[in-house]
Amino acid sequence: MPNWTRRDLLKTGMAASVGVPRLAEAGQDVPAVSAQPAPSRERLLLDFGWRFQLGHADDPERDFGFGRGSEFSKSGGMLIPSRLNFDDSPWQAIDLPHDWAVALPFEKSANGSVTSHGSKPLGRSFPATSIGWYRKLFDVPASDLGRRIWLEFDGVYRDAMIVFNGHFIGRHMSGYAPFRYDVTDWVSYGAKNVIVVRVDATQNDGWFYEGAGIYRHVWLLKTHPVHVAHGGTLVVSEVRPGSSTLAVTTEVENHSDRSQAGRVVSTVLDPAGKVVASATAVPVAIAPWSGNEFKQQLSVDKPALWSLENPNLYRLLTKVEVAGAVVDQYETTFGIRSIRFDADQGFFLNGASVRLLGTCNHQDHAGVGSALPDRIQAFRIEKLKEMGSNAYRSSHNHPTAELMDACDRLGMLVMDETRTMDSSPQALEELEALVRRDRNRPSVVLWSLGNEEREQGSERGARIVATMKRLVRRLDPSRPVTVAQNGGYAGVGVSTVVDVMGFNYNEPQIDGYRQKHPKQPLVGSETASTVSTRGIYANDKDKGYVSAYDLNAPRWGATAEKWWKFYAERPFLAGGFVWTGFDYRGEPTPYGWPCINSHFGLMDVCGFPKDLYYYYQAWWSGKPVLRLFPHWNWTEGGEVDVWCHSNLDRVELFLNGQSLGAKDVARNTHVEWKVKYAPGVLEAVGYKDGKRALAAKRETTGSPARIDLRADRPRISADGEDVAMVEVSVVDEQGRVVPTASNEIVFEVAGPGRIIGVGNGDPSSHEPDKASRRSAFNGLCMAIVQALKQDGEIRLTAKSTGLAPATLVLQCEKATPRPAA
């Protein structure tokens, strides 16, 4: 059982992540470790009750004195807002997660970086809106003396300076990697404590909308000095017929001044909560300020395997015992399953061939920017699964933990990507944080170490990735690594190091590469980049809209049919990841201003499906699909291209009851007609095995008459976090969505809820996301309603001039909020 010391932790760059103790300053009292610290770990949410204020990147007078040059001259008393008596009442009261960028106005700019980041005024050219200050007060009881106290940040964009009780704790540059600090030395026990975070968003991590601020959760963790290390458990399952062997590794740290004889008791609970295996380790003396690694093997009979259809999750309960007493309890969720990439047959899950039907995604959403409540993460995965997708690539950065939870729980495979392909100490620390956090997740099948990198075809790139791969192998020996490459296919550089070769586009080069490297598995790490706008059927450069037919792609991309037919015909390809599942802010393609977000998504930024969504649903989902488009509100006499996405055998088209002919549906294609427009009813009838299977209609609607409201769920939890996604439709007298409606909708909320964002999916809309009103775009808009911490009825009313209003009642059900400080 290996032991490690404080020096080992420093050597491996783990000091910040595992909390190497800091020496007390001269004149500071060192709290004595109590004889019997509180026995169990406590993790408290620190999301509520913050204050926020913009600073200034160029002027110290408008940045609370920061930059005058004396901040680091003495420890303690750093930053004016860190003083306990600082008056933050003029600051904005907020809860986390928080993205201040989404509330900024749109800015037309010749600066390509501004445009690619969603036309928001962030960067060196916008000093008054690129610095954000956060401040929070909270209590730590006197009884916590003797415990280790940690601050944990799931993600801050970006360059975060953390000051705790006037002491500089650290600076974290990454906008995506989680980070944590042991703040035990600086806690005021039995008194108020103050956190100040200065966030500098003048620089970028990526080339797409990234938001700004503390946009993920913050936690306060308390543990016994002897405890399981952060991310310190690893469960590797070996699946055999009728049973599974679990290799369990547990890292235990001793953050105290004396040796401690500790042991680990591991218990496995099945998806129903029943104990199915347990093991007790032999006690080991753990030296002061060092750690020990415990290895155990457990066997589970007739395991319930994790799969796409049945994502069964087990729990490992870890108890750390010292002198016969339980001093720490740690829970690890995991799944039992097997994975394999094969150079000839693609990907296998639990011994069965599974095609990776994936999408790449950035993390922002309409109404909230990058600061997504946890429920929206699950909502997005649900929408992708409904389309037939089974795989998700976290492009191009660490995803949030709650997104990964949703993938584990709902059955979505993940290509888990780090932000920076490099072997610098910072990049390796970020990679380690990703792997430690996600290595027990059954959803993760592939670690991605980079994307379209400058060094992808060089020897230096190969050395960098080799170092990254060694780190991954040490932390997780069970999964392969890849890099998403858009070049470097000559058999040199990164491709010689990765286990699975990732192709971004470049389909013509795939067959040649396979001939030269027949033993290397291949995957389409990024494909398509087809562009379209929901409800638009002709390109309009002035408005920034692109036709929804499968016709438009940038020079590097392909239409949906072109790329998928290519991949579908090659079983050696493990599958592919479409760019992208959802539209996202920034990277407006192919048009610029007034367009402020991408058109790549199969859904818009609200999650409303585009017509291409149904192409993939037809050929990926396995369920009968018949999607007829476009809408049927046109000028009489013109000719209209009518398409159907369907996986049925044959489709017949009717206009006002008259057949316009039937067409066979070739695999992985669509059918289409040219139809002279006449108002009325356009109907498609689909046949399977000679029998009528499905029908779809498009009707000429009347004028907008009223509003229709529909929530994704009728009940939400009164925990201060849960949300309902409310779809708002403008309909005619017969209740049909008017496909060209653009009426402004005004929202009012009564009861224990609030609107936290609105959207409509219009890639050229400059309306604010943080508002109580929004115009419909092609008949639809949305409102996000968040529960408060009281139960009762939430009544959302939507009004518009000339339309009959609508009211939606949501049941806000009594719930126990997560423990918080």
Side-chain angles (χ1 to χ4, degrees):
M1 284 179 268
N3 243 263
W4 67 83
T5 66
R6 184 177 192 274
R7 178 178 295 177
D8 295 327
L9 296 179
L10 288 167
K11 232 165 92 180
T12 58
M14 292 170 57
S17 63
V18 300
V20 171
R22 297 159 177 80
L23 297 177
E25 301 166 30
Q28 178 184 358
D29 291 333
V30 181
V33 177
S34 60
Q36 293 184 328
S40 63
R41 70 173 51 216
E42 187 179 9
R43 196 171 191 234
L44 304 176
L45 189 64
L46 279 179
D47 281 3
F48 302 108
W50 287 78
R51 293 281 180 166
F52 170 77
Q53 181 67 37
L54 288 173
H56 201 282
D58 292 344
D59 185 356
E61 297 305 315
R62 289 186 281 173
D63 202 34
F64 305 98
F66 183 80
R68 289 180 180 149
S70 60
E71 289 88 357
F72 295 94
S73 59
K74 294 285 186 180
S75 61
M78 184 178 184
L79 303 183
I80 294 171
S82 71
R83 298 170 184 167
L84 201 58
N85 62 352
F86 176 80
D87 180 13
D88 63 10
S89 60
W91 292 25
Q92 180 186 358
I94 64 158
D95 293 329
L96 305 180
H98 178 252
D99 173 7
W100 86 71
V102 73
L104 296 177
F106 294 98
E107 183 85 19
K108 184 177 182 180
S109 175
N111 185 326
S113 178
V114 174
T115 301
S116 72
H117 281 78
S119 297
K120 293 292 187 175
L122 291 173
R124 294 292 297 171
S125 299
F126 306 96
T129 51
S130 298
I131 302 293
W133 289 77
Y134 293 84
R135 187 174 189 269
K136 178 179 170 62
L137 295 174
F138 66 96
D139 294 300
V140 176
S143 58
D144 281 341
L145 187 63
R147 301 171 93 179
R148 304 307 298 180
I149 310 294
W150 309 79
L151 287 177
E152 299 183 335
F153 294 83
D154 286 352
V156 181
Y157 193 85
R158 71 178 295 278
D159 190 0
M161 177 181 291
I162 315 300
V163 176
F164 181 60
N165 287 337
H167 288 263
F168 173 75
I169 304 302
R171 184 179 179 187
H172 188 78
M173 301 297 291
S174 171
Y176 299 98
F179 60 101
R180 67 199 301 259
Y181 298 105
D182 182 341
V183 296
T184 306
D185 292 353
W186 303 289
V187 172
S188 296
Y189 294 93
K192 292 285 184 186
N193 293 262
V194 58
I195 309 172
V196 171
V197 183
R198 182 183 184 270
V199 182
D200 184 342
T202 56
Q203 298 295 317
N204 306 319
D205 275 42
W207 49 96
F208 39 85
Y209 179 87
E210 301 181 277
I214 308 179
Y215 70 98
R216 293 180 181 172
H217 296 306
V218 179
W219 306 88
L220 182 69
L221 177 66
K222 307 174 185 181
T223 70
H224 186 279
V226 182
H227 54 265
V228 176
H230 183 61
T233 56
L234 172 64
V235 184
V236 178
S237 56
E238 180 184 348
V239 179
R240 300 187 302 274
S243 67
S244 176
T245 299
L246 308 180
V248 177
T249 302
T250 307
E251 299 169 18
V252 176
E253 297 172 345
N254 175 15
H255 287 178
S256 73
D257 291 326
R258 60 188 177 87
S259 178
Q260 305 270 9
R263 71 174 185 178
V264 166
V265 179
S266 299
T267 304
V268 176
L269 276 62
D270 70 9
K274 178 184 175 183
V275 174
V276 291
S278 63
T280 301
V282 175
V284 172
I286 307 174
W289 302 109
S290 68
N292 188 78
E293 192 176 81
F294 294 85
K295 291 185 177 293
Q296 298 168 301
Q297 282 217 336
L298 299 88
S299 181
V300 176
D301 292 330
K302 298 179 181 178
L305 300 183
W306 186 93
S307 67
L308 301 174
E309 302 77 20
N310 297 292
N312 295 300
L313 295 174
Y314 284 74
R315 287 181 296 153
L316 171 68
L317 302 183
T318 303
K319 292 183 179 180
V320 178
E321 295 181 354
V322 173
V326 176
V327 297
D328 191 25
Q329 299 184 67
Y330 189 87
E331 184 172 308
T332 305
T333 300
F334 70 98
I336 299 175
R337 53 98 178 107
S338 65
I339 61 168
R340 175 169 62 91
F341 282 86
D342 185 272
D344 297 319
Q345 301 176 70
F347 174 73
F348 287 78
L349 176 65
N350 298 327
S353 176
V354 173
R355 213 72 189 274
L356 297 179
L357 310 175
T359 63
C360 305
N361 291 281
H362 288 313
Q363 62 181 4
D364 63 297
H365 196 87
V368 294
S370 294
L372 278 65
D374 297 351
R375 167 58 197 161
I376 299 183
Q377 306 288 358
F379 170 83
R380 288 164 66 91
I381 298 301
E382 290 167 358
K383 298 292 286 187
L384 290 169
K385 286 210 59 148
E386 183 182 334
M387 185 185 75
S389 177
N390 64 16
Y392 185 103
R393 177 185 172 206
S394 63
S395 310
H396 301 289
N397 47 261
H398 303 59
T400 189
E402 289 71 28
L403 171 76
M404 301 300 293
D405 291 343
C407 292
D408 286 340
R409 188 173 65 251
L410 298 173
M412 177 72 74
L413 303 169
V414 178
M415 176 175 164
D416 208 352
E417 190 159 293
T418 192
R419 172 74 284 276
T420 307
M421 193 194 90
D422 213 332
S423 53
S424 66
Q426 178 178 317
L428 292 179
E429 182 181 311
E430 293 172 11
L431 176 60
E432 178 161 352
L434 177 71
V435 176
R436 279 184 171 272
R437 189 194 68 184
D438 292 345
R439 60 184 175 174
N440 291 305
R441 297 183 181 278
S443 59
V444 178
V445 297
L446 195 57
W447 299 113
S448 177
L449 305 185
N451 174 73
E452 299 182 357
E453 304 291 341
R454 293 186 179 94
E455 298 279 10
Q456 62 190 5
S458 71
E459 281 189 30
R460 181 161 50 202
R463 294 194 298 270
I464 289 169
V465 171
T467 297
M468 298 175 76
K469 182 177 175 179
R470 282 196 300 274
L471 174 62
V472 172
R473 283 285 186 274
R474 176 171 66 80
L475 298 169
D476 172 27
S478 68
R479 294 177 181 85
V481 303
T482 189
V483 169
Q485 296 183 228
N486 63 342
Y489 306 136
V492 296
V494 168
S495 64
T496 65
V497 179
V498 296
D499 304 305
V500 178
M501 179 64 187
F503 277 87
N504 282 14
Y505 314 105
N506 290 290
E507 283 85 3
Q509 299 193 46
I510 290 177
D511 288 340
Y513 185 90
R514 172 169 164 75
Q515 289 176 3
K516 294 178 180 178
H517 308 278
K519 300 299 183 182
Q520 187 177 31
L522 310 179
V523 68
S525 44
E526 190 171 314
T527 65
S529 276
T530 317
V531 287
S532 65
T533 307
R534 177 180 58 79
I536 297 293
Y537 298 97
N539 292 352
D540 189 331
K541 183 177 181 179
D542 291 338
K543 292 183 178 179
Y545 298 154
V546 187
S547 163
Y549 299 111
D550 185 21
L551 296 173
N552 297 287
R555 57 176 174 73
W556 65 84
T559 63
E561 285 190 19
K562 182 179 179 181
W563 90 265
W564 178 241
K565 286 172 67 177
F566 179 93
Y567 271 69
E569 293 166 358
R570 290 163 173 77
F572 62 84
L573 289 168
F577 293 82
V578 175
W579 189 266
T580 53
F582 293 82
D583 277 348
Y584 56 93
R585 292 169 177 79
E587 285 198 298
T589 306
Y591 307 130
W593 189 269
C595 188
I596 44 81
N597 71 246
S598 79
H599 294 79
F600 297 116
L602 306 176
M603 290 171 276
D604 65 23
V605 292
C606 297
F608 296 138
K610 303 179 185 180
D611 294 304
L612 263 179
Y613 178 99
Y614 298 95
Y615 170 79
Y616 290 98
Q617 189 179 66
W619 301 113
W620 285 6
S621 72
K623 58 187 177 185
V625 173
L626 180 61
R627 172 69 171 185
L628 173 65
F629 61 100
H631 61 75
W632 210 237
N633 284 29
W634 300 99
T635 302
E636 197 159 355
E639 196 171 55
V640 180
D641 290 323
V642 175
W643 285 33
C644 275
H645 288 315
S646 181
N647 52 8
L648 301 175
D649 298 335
R650 189 171 176 81
V651 178
E652 186 172 9
L653 188 67
F654 297 85
L655 178 58
N656 295 327
Q658 181 178 350
S659 176
L660 302 181
K663 296 190 176 185
D664 293 333
V665 182
R667 185 167 183 79
N668 298 318
T669 66
H670 72 283
V671 290
E672 62 179 275
W673 297 258
K674 283 192 176 294
V675 179
K676 185 176 181 180
Y677 177 73
V681 179
L682 186 72
E683 182 177 21
V685 177
Y687 298 88
K688 184 72 175 176
D689 298 326
K691 298 179 181 179
R692 180 182 172 118
L694 290 175
K697 290 183 179 180
R698 291 287 186 173
E699 300 182 15
T700 306
T701 71
S703 300
R706 59 185 175 84
I707 302 168
D708 184 61
L709 301 177
R710 187 172 306 172
D712 66 318
R713 297 177 300 153
R715 295 175 175 81
I716 59 178
S717 298
D719 59 6
E721 300 184 72
D722 202 5
V723 298
M725 311 294 285
V726 181
E727 178 179 321
V728 184
S729 305
V730 178
V731 301
D732 66 6
E733 290 285 2
Q734 297 183 46
R736 300 172 297 191
V737 175
V738 180
T740 56
S742 58
N743 306 66
E744 183 183 64
I745 312 297
V746 178
F747 301 102
E748 297 175 359
V749 176
R754 60 179 179 174
I755 293 175
I756 62 168
V758 293
N760 63 10
D762 181 351
S764 297
S765 174
H766 298 170
E767 296 173 277
D769 286 74
K770 298 298 184 180
S772 59
R773 61 183 63 215
R774 190 70 172 210
S775 298
F777 177 60
N778 292 330
L780 302 176
C781 63
M782 61 156 286
I784 305 174
V785 178
Q786 186 171 59
L788 302 180
K789 294 182 181 179
Q790 299 84 41
D791 59 321
E793 285 188 349
I794 302 174
R795 301 178 70 85
L796 174 68
T797 299
K799 301 177 181 179
S800 183
T801 302
L803 304 183
T807 297
L808 173 72
V809 177
L810 295 167
Q811 297 299 324
C812 191
E813 298 183 328
K814 189 173 183 179
T816 301
R818 291 194 278 193

